[in-house]
Amino acid sequence: MKNIEKIFNTLKDVNEKYNSTLISTEELIEEEDNIKELTQIDERMNKILANLDQIKDKENLTSELLQLHLVIGDIEWQFDQIHEMVRQVIENIED
């Protein structure tokens, strides 16, 4: 998930080159906070994946797969947020 951090840092750099007119300071702060959560999300995913290998009964397997589903949703949301920021930069550059 390091790539999402690289994307964010690149967008920050581009924003600075354009005198901080492409992305608002508030949005940058919010996204930076979101990116800090990636470490926790990654840790949750690793724990779930480790647990999946050891589960033998269907009930616990279903529960753990549900947790995996939720973690993947969190990751998807993070990428969607950064994707939206890329779109915003493109639109604002063209203005």
Side-chain angles (χ1 to χ4, degrees):
M1 292 210 235
K2 296 283 183 191
N3 285 335
I4 197 168
E5 292 176 55
K6 288 179 184 177
I7 294 167
F8 176 72
N9 288 330
T10 300
L11 291 175
K12 278 180 30 179
D13 292 344
V14 169
N15 192 49
E16 286 177 20
K17 287 179 186 178
Y18 283 84
N19 299 317
S20 299
T21 59
L22 304 175
I23 307 167
S24 72
T25 303
E26 294 81 19
E27 287 177 281
L28 286 172
I29 291 169
E30 182 180 336
E31 191 58 34
E32 195 161 31
D33 288 343
N34 291 341
I35 287 175
K36 289 176 185 175
E37 294 174 10
L38 286 172
T39 302
Q40 296 169 335
I41 293 169
D42 196 44
E43 288 171 4
R44 283 178 31 223
M45 182 173 53
N46 289 331
K47 181 180 175 185
I48 291 166
L49 292 172
N51 288 344
L52 282 172
D53 286 341
Q54 300 176 18
I55 296 174
K56 306 229 185 294
D57 63 280
K58 287 182 181 181
E59 185 177 314
N60 286 333
L61 180 59
T62 301
S63 176
E64 206 64 20
L65 286 171
L66 177 60
Q67 293 303 311
L68 181 60
H69 173 74
L70 294 172
V71 167
I72 292 169
D74 289 346
I75 294 167
E76 182 179 41
W77 182 84
Q78 293 284 353
F79 275 94
D80 189 49
Q81 292 297 109
I82 202 78
H83 187 222
E84 186 59 38
M85 191 172 275
V86 170
R87 274 187 259 177
Q88 177 184 350
V89 168
I90 292 166
E91 289 174 5
N92 289 337
I93 284 177
E94 293 178 352
D95 288 343

